[in-house]
Amino acid sequence: MAEKESQGIKYFAVLTGLLRERQGFLEEIRQGHRLTIKITSLLVCSSLFLAIYGGIIGAYHSWMQALASAVKLPALYLITLIICLPTLFFANIIFGSKRSFGQYFALVMTAIAITSVLLFSFAPITLFFMISTSNYQFLILLNVILFAITGLIGILFLYKAAKIVIEQEGEGSNTRSKIIQYWLFLYAFVGSQLGWTLRPFFGNPGSPFQLFREKEGNFYLSIIKALAYLFGIHNL
């Protein structure tokens, strides 16, 4: 038991190191230092924070939705990583990068960890509005905004971190820099559409529990419809 607690403290110590000493943390990734423990720690901590946030928003519907969302929200970020990471790695390798797959994995995990910590910090605000309002569309839009803000901060962090971890000198450096920029758009696009595919996370209180909904429309169209409903425009 004490050993498990010690391991848990170790994981959070790694996350704290990222939050407090980002420059040094990223430099260690650049040097390939202790990548396994970094990846494992960030994966465990970010999954825990995302599971807690998912459980909170799912509780708006039922305990079953809370359990499902606690699993689906960490899965959303991990599956997006699995889908997009090979593109980032191989595209950079082709144009001269000498970093290992583990270094790229650790790099993207730092962004996911930052995003998860920010989402976790917004959990009390989300919980407050869940208790104080019954407007389902408002809660959906509130969370879209929170996910957008935390995701944008995570992406900006990843862009800055990539300049430290991925070498920018030598042949193909300009191309690698552009690859990172384009890949960030790809990552955001895949993540938002995957989130739509894995819905619901909240669950409409007036409908029975669903693990997944039918594949229809897309994420961006649903946001337009939610905004239209909130402002009283029902003909879209």
Side-chain angles (χ1 to χ4, degrees), residues 1 10 13 17 33 48 52 55-56 65 70 80 94 104 118 127 169 176 178 198 233:
M1 183 68 177
K10 190 176 182 180
H33 182 58
L48 177 61
I52 292 172
I56 289 173
Q65 188 63 62
T80 304
I94 289 171
Y104 280 92
L118 289 171
L127 189 58
E169 295 95 19
R176 291 198 300 273
K178 290 185 183 299
L198 294 177
I233 306 170

Side-chain angles (χ1 to χ4, degrees), residues 126-195:
T126 300
L127 189 58
F128 167 75
F129 281 107
M130 285 172 55
I131 294 171
S132 61
T133 182
S134 59
N135 191 318
Y136 175 68
Q137 298 297 334
F138 169 78
L139 290 172
I140 292 293
L141 288 173
L142 171 66
N143 273 269
V144 168
I145 292 171
L146 292 181
F147 277 102
I149 291 173
T150 56
L152 179 60
I153 293 173
I155 285 174
L156 290 175
F157 174 85
L158 181 56
Y159 180 67
K160 294 178 181 178
K163 292 183 176 180
I164 298 174
V165 176
I166 304 173
E167 69 276 16
Q168 296 301 320
E169 295 95 19
E171 185 180 354
S173 59
N174 291 333
T175 304
R176 291 198 300 273
S177 181
K178 290 185 183 299
I179 286 172
I180 293 168
Q181 295 173 19
Y182 295 142
W183 182 85
L184 291 174
F185 282 105
L186 173 67
Y187 181 79
F189 182 76
V190 170
S192 59
Q193 184 59 29
L194 182 60

Side-chain angles (χ1 to χ4, degrees), residues 108-123:
V108 180
M109 278 308 307
T110 61
I112 294 177
I114 294 291
T115 303
S116 70
V117 169
L118 289 171
L119 268 180
F120 183 72
S121 70
F122 278 118

Side-chain angles (χ1 to χ4, degrees), residues 15-227:
L15 176 62
T16 303
L18 168 64
L19 298 176
R20 291 181 175 175
E21 302 291 341
R22 283 168 288 182
Q23 192 78 17
F25 193 95
L26 294 172
E27 181 60 30
E28 287 188 356
I29 294 178
R30 192 183 73 81
Q31 296 174 1
H33 182 58
R34 300 177 67 211
L35 290 179
T36 301
I37 185 61
K38 284 180 171 59
I39 292 171
T40 304
S41 300
L42 296 181
L43 184 60
V44 169
C45 294
S46 59
S47 297
L48 177 61
F49 289 151
L50 291 170
I52 292 172
Y53 193 86
I56 289 173
I57 60 177
Y60 181 73
H61 181 276
S62 63
W63 69 267
M64 291 186 294
Q65 188 63 62
L67 183 60
S69 297
V71 174
K72 288 198 290 183
L73 192 57
L76 166 62
Y77 285 86
L78 182 58
I79 295 172
T80 304
L81 170 66
I82 292 171
I83 292 172
C84 296
L85 185 58
T87 303
L88 178 66
F89 174 67
F90 287 112
N92 276 279
I93 288 293
I94 289 171
F95 288 98
S97 174
K98 295 178 176 57
R99 302 302 175 213
S100 68
F101 188 80
Q103 287 171 298
Y104 280 92
F105 199 146
L107 172 65
V108 180
M109 278 308 307
T110 61
I112 294 177
I114 294 291
T115 303
S116 70
V117 169
L118 289 171
L119 268 180
F120 183 72
S121 70
F122 278 118
I125 295 173
T126 300
L127 189 58
F128 167 75
F129 281 107
M130 285 172 55
I131 294 171
S132 61
T133 182
S134 59
N135 191 318
Y136 175 68
Q137 298 297 334
F138 169 78
L139 290 172
I140 292 293
L141 288 173
L142 171 66
N143 273 269
V144 168
I145 292 171
L146 292 181
F147 277 102
I149 291 173
T150 56
L152 179 60
I153 293 173
I155 285 174
L156 290 175
F157 174 85
L158 181 56
Y159 180 67
K160 294 178 181 178
K163 292 183 176 180
I164 298 174
V165 176
I166 304 173
E167 69 276 16
Q168 296 301 320
E169 295 95 19
E171 185 180 354
S173 59
N174 291 333
T175 304
R176 291 198 300 273
S177 181
K178 290 185 183 299
I179 286 172
I180 293 168
Q181 295 173 19
Y182 295 142
W183 182 85
L184 291 174
F185 282 105
L186 173 67
Y187 181 79
F189 182 76
V190 170
S192 59
Q193 184 59 29
L194 182 60
W196 174 255
T197 304
L198 294 177
R199 76 195 195 288
F201 290 91
F202 257 95
N204 193 325
S207 62
F209 166 73
Q210 290 179 294
L211 184 59
F212 299 105
R213 289 183 186 158
E214 293 181 6
K215 295 180 182 179
E216 56 181 8
N218 58 62
F219 169 76
Y220 305 100
L221 182 59
S222 73
I223 296 304
I224 293 173
K225 288 183 176 179
L227 283 169

